[in-house]
Every structure is written in C-alpha cells, then in structure tokens.
C-alpha cells in the first residue's frame, strides 16, 4: 500500500483505474450558465462537474441527491475510466435522470441524500461496482475517488473511519493529505485493499458513498483536521432503496432482526436510564484508561429493557443474533461481518474455528491455507481497530457453551464484545460470568489498581493540587480485588468486581487524570 494520502487517478504508479473493475466509476456533469467556455461553438451547452457516481447495474447509477441541480434534472454521466477497459475507449456522455422510485420517501436528511439514476444506455464493456454490506468500523482505512474541477481526471484520497455521526459515518483524511471537496459528492468509498489489489475478495468493494463534507477546502495544518467528510454505508443505502437488494455481496454488519422501534425516553432515575448510562459508558469509555472489553447484559426478552438493548446494538460496529446458531456458524458470521479483506478474514476465521471446525459454506479448506505470517498480520490488524461486537441471544444458541470459547478467542484479538442474554439465570449465564465477564473485570481492576499505584508514587515526588491517594485506600482496593477470587457465587463475584472497578475509576478521576 502506498503511504501517500492523495494521488491522481492517471498517475503511473496507480494501476487500479486501468483495471477493468474501475469502469463503474462515473463523473457527473450538468449544464450551467456559469461554466467557462471551452472553445466550442456559442450554441454548445456549457457544463460543470457536479460530482461522482457509481454504476450499480445495467443502465443504473447511484449518486448523492444534491448532485442534481433540481429534483427532476437530466445530467450527463461520463465514464472516465472506460478507455482503460479491454475493448473500451473514449465514449460520449450518457444522459441520465432520476429512476422511478429512485429517491427515498419521507423527510430529507443527509442520511437520505441518495438518488438512483436511470441511464439512457451503458457502454458495452462497463461493469457494475461490487457493493459490500460490510460496514467499515472505526479505524478502518478506505479510499475515496472523486472528480474535483482542478483534477477532473480524478483524485484518490486516503481516509480513516472515525465513527458514526447522525446516521452517517465520519471520515478523516490520513497523513495530512488532501481532503474531500466539491466533485466528491456521490463518490464511492472503497476498501483500502482496492487500489493496490490484495488478491482479496473484498479488494475494491464499494462500502459506501460520500454525501457531505465539513471544513475549509483551502485549509492546511491544524485546519486540515477539520476536513471531515461523511459517507452513507451500502447497508443503509439498500434499506432506503429496496430495489438494490440482492446486489451487494457479503452479510449485513447488523442483523435486521435486531432492529427495534424507538420508545419514549425513560423518566429520570428509572432503571431504563441507568441501563442506558451503563451501556453508553461501556461503548464510549476513555481509551486512555484500562476499560473492560466485555459487557454482559440480560433483557428478560420483553418490554423497554429489551428495546433499549436492541437500540444500543445499533451503535456497535457489528451485531448479530446468535439464536439457534452453532459455535462454528457463530464464528463464521462474526468473521463475515467484520469484513476483513482476503487472507486477513480467512486468518480470523481459522483462528476462531480451530477448536470447533469451520461452518458450512465458509470452510477455510476451500482456500489456500493461511500461513502464520498472514494470520499474525490479520489478527494484529484487528487488534489495532478494536471493533465492538454485539452478540444477542447467546443463551438461545444451539451450542452456547462452545460459543463462549469463540467469544473468548474473539476477545483475545482485541475486539470488545457485548453479550446479550434473554435471562440472567441458568447455566449459560453463570458460565458467561465465570469464563468471560468476571475474568475481564478482574483484569481491568488490576490494571486500574496499577495506574492508581503509579499516581500515588508520582504524587509523592511532585506537588499536585489534586492531593495524593492515601496508601490505605490503595491497599484496601488491592485486598478487595484479591478477595473477589474467594467468592464462590459468580453473580456475587460479578457485583463485587463491578463495584470495585467503578470505585477505582472514581479514585483515578479524583486524582485529576480524567
């Protein structure tokens, strides 16, 4: 992978646009009285670049709705990469207009800023883009290909997913490179293995589309940090335009069965609001301090608590319903939803299924064996990203006890795991506490205790307006941590560890480090 953050699509070292799969990338123009003359006749229409587009099917293209000058506008679609396609060449612009039913119904918003265009025709050798349902999670690197006026042959931008923002995903430019600007609306966001081609199945797959940007396009340095842009994932696009269902490859990052209707906010002080605070704390915990990587929740299966937990799962990077799944199938579904490209994805699947065999249809034996280097690279990549995984209904899985082993291995990759059960009694719940949740809380408490000791030691050697933790406080916390291991009941042990972790956070915050 090149370490530059922006490059022209015609650069000699960038072979990707000259590959056949690039023929789906479109440039969209519209007539404008403000467009400069190009030396043609006075009667020739003058056009400006309005944005980019994605060929998604024969005579069908996807772009951002605000690319159109008005709702029923006819635009000119160009195929700037078609000349590099075998059998291709230079082709004239193709007229296009909004397709019937090609715009989402209901009130508008940036998360609905999409339109499906009907093209008059498609060049013979142009191929639609490969769409992927794998929603990129925070930390994942992507490429964006747009057509600004000053670089109308095209410009690649390297970016990183920062996280969700008002129904969209926020992207930040990498390495101080160029940023999204006019000409990128409707541009495809592709997996970062695409431009160099990893040999991976996901290489070049379209993960979403640019719909807006934020920041001064002329800025640099500190201002460059404000150059945020926003993409709508393919998963959301398919929800808004049902006629595109069946086109994307892969599986949804979030099971549709876990969607829940929005409910009225809970009254202040209610058990619902306490639950929401607990869920929110786990999801947005301060990464500069040790934090539990496992969260175990029971819903009872009905009512507002169930609805709130389902809503929470929409905020995780991946969420799936484990009801009725075997351990191998659970591992395969998680690996598929994480969407790691090629050998990295196969490495994760092999790692998760070594003890249980590969799930049907996802057998690693159908691929070349993953060598140790590929496995190490794939697992290291996942550890750096640290995505959040929500697993619903583990107590209703076909192999719940074996599935706990899968989740323990998943946690060792650096993923943070939220496990939701219908009921907080029975053998599955107790095993989750004993083998997953309580060890994680004990590890976090130990790390927080070490942090508190270091603060105490440092405070003895320098003045501090926050004071110094009393040695007896640190000692008492350490004794309580040691004592939790002697508690035979896993529920009581869980309660004690949660309380201790909460108190340690308060101790550290009181010392002025939060």
């Amino acid at each position: 992978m090149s370490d530059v953050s922006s490059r022209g699509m015609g650069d000699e070292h960038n072979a990707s646009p000259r590959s056949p799969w690039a023929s789906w990338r479109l440039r969209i123009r519209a007539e404008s009285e403000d467009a400069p003359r190009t030396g043609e006749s006075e009667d020739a229409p003058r056009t400006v670049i309005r944005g980019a587009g994605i060929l998604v099917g024969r005579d069908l293209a996807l772009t951002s709705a605000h690319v159109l000058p008005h709702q029923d506008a006819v635009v000119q679609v160009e195929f700037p990469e078609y000349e590099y396609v075998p059998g291709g060449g230079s082709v004239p612009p193709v007229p296009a207009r909004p397709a019937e039913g090609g715009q989402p119904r209901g009130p508008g918003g940036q998360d609905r800023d999409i339109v499906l265009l009907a093209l008059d025709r498609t060049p013979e050798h142009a191929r639609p883009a490969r769409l992927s349902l794998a929603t990129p999670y925070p930390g994942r690197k992507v490429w964006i290909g747009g057509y600004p006026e000053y670089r109308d042959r095209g410009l690649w931008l390297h970016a990183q997913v920062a996280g969700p923002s008002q129904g969209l995903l926020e992207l930040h430019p990498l390495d101080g490179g160029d940023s999204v600007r006019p000409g990128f609306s409707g541009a495809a966001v592709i997996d970062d293995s695409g431009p160099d081609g990893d040999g991976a199945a996901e290489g070049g797959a379209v993960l979403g589309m640019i719909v807006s940007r934020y920041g001064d396009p002329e800025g640099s340095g500190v201002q460059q940090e404000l150059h945020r842009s926003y993409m709508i994932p393919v998963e959301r696009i398919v929800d808004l335009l049902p006629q595109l269902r069946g086109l994307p490859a892969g599986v949804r990052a979030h099971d549709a069965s876990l969607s829940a209707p929005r409910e009225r906010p809970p009254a202040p002080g209610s058990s619902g609001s306490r639950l929401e605070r607990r869920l929110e704390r786990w999801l947005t915990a301060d990464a500069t301090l040790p934090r539990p990587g496992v969260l175990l929740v029971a819903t009872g299966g009905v009512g507002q608590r169930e609805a709130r937990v389902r809503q929470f799962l929409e905020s995780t990077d991946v969420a799936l319903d484990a009801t009725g799944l075997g351990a191998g199938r659970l591992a395969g579904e998680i690996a598929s939803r994480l969407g790691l490209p090629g050998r990295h994805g196969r490495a994760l699947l092999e790692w998760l299924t070594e003890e249980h065999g590969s799930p049907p249809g996802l057998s690693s034996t159908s691929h070349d064996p993953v060598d140790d280097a590929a496995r190490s690279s794939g697992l290291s990549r996942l550890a750096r990203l640290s995505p959040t995984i929500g697993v619903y209904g583990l107590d209703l899985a076909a192999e719940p006890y074996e599935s706990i082993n899968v989740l323990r291995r998943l946690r060792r990759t650096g993923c943070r795991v939220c496990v939701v059960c219908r009921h907080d009694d029975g053998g599955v719940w107790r095993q989750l506490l004993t083998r997953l949740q309580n060890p994680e809380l004990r590890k976090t408490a130990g790390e927080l205790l070490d942090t508190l000791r270091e603060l105490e030691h440092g405070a003895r050697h320098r003045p501090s307006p926050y004071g110094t933790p009393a040695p007896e406080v640190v000692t008492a916390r350490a004794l309580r941590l040691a004592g939790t291991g002697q508690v035979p009941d896993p529920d009581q042990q869980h309660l004690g560890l949660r309380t201790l972790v909460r108190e340690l956070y308060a101790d550290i915050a009181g010392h002025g480090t939060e």
Side-chain angles (χ1 to χ4, degrees), residues 339-459:
L340 292 179
R343 60 199 182 103
H344 299 308
R346 297 198 299 274
L348 173 63
L349 181 58
E350 288 192 1
W351 164 256
L352 294 178
T353 58
E354 274 182 346
E355 297 180 1
H356 308 290
S358 298
L362 290 169
S363 174
S364 60
T365 59
S366 63
H367 304 282
D368 294 333
V370 178
D371 58 31
D372 290 340
R375 169 170 296 185
S376 176
S377 175
L379 298 182
S380 297
R381 178 174 178 165
L382 197 61
R384 289 194 302 272
L385 298 175
S386 189
T388 53
I389 316 294
V391 179
Y392 176 87
L394 193 77
D395 53 339
L396 304 178
E399 298 176 321
Y401 299 104
E402 295 85 348
S403 295
I404 296 174
N405 291 333
V406 171
L407 298 182
R408 292 178 68 189
R409 281 188 160 238
L410 186 67
R411 175 63 191 130
R412 287 170 61 187
T413 68
C415 294
R416 305 183 71 228
V417 184
C418 173
V419 185
V420 180
C421 291
R422 289 290 189 92
H423 307 289
D424 59 356
D425 54 14
V428 175
W429 178 265
R430 294 173 69 86
Q431 282 294 305
L432 281 166
L433 289 174
T434 301
R435 297 166 57 194
L436 193 63
Q437 179 72 94
N438 289 351
E440 183 72 21
L441 286 172
R442 186 173 293 108
K443 174 176 175 290
T444 302
E447 292 171 344
L448 289 171
L449 192 60
D450 289 342
T451 300
L452 194 59
R453 286 197 184 99
E454 291 174 4
L455 292 171
E456 176 190 0
H457 177 76

Side-chain angles (χ1 to χ4, degrees), residues 159-205:
Q160 188 172 43
V161 179
S165 176
Q166 298 181 344
L168 304 172
L169 289 178
E170 185 174 307
L171 307 177
H172 292 176
L174 281 175
D175 308 321
D178 215 330
S179 57
V180 166
R181 60 190 64 225
F184 277 86
S185 294
V189 178
I190 69 171
D191 181 80
D192 70 346
S193 64
D196 292 324
D198 184 23
E202 285 295 314

Side-chain angles (χ1 to χ4, degrees), residues 436-502:
L436 193 63
Q437 179 72 94
N438 289 351
E440 183 72 21
L441 286 172
R442 186 173 293 108
K443 174 176 175 290
T444 302
E447 292 171 344
L448 289 171
L449 192 60
D450 289 342
T451 300
L452 194 59
R453 286 197 184 99
E454 291 174 4
L455 292 171
E456 176 190 0
H457 177 76
R460 289 173 181 168
H461 297 86
R462 64 179 183 272
S464 171
Y466 301 105
T468 303
E472 59 268 21
V473 173
V474 178
T475 301
R477 301 283 189 258
L479 288 173
R480 282 179 56 194
L481 177 59
T484 59
Q486 308 303 315
V487 178
D489 181 69
D491 283 293
Q492 291 300 315
Q493 190 179 112
H494 178 225
L495 179 61
L497 286 166
R498 279 182 57 188
T499 302
L500 178 58
V501 166
R502 192 160 53 243

Side-chain angles (χ1 to χ4, degrees), residues 74-88:
V74 176
V75 294
Q76 299 297 314
V77 173
E78 300 175 328
F79 292 76
E81 318 300 334
Y82 190 69
E83 62 183 283
Y84 304 117
V85 176

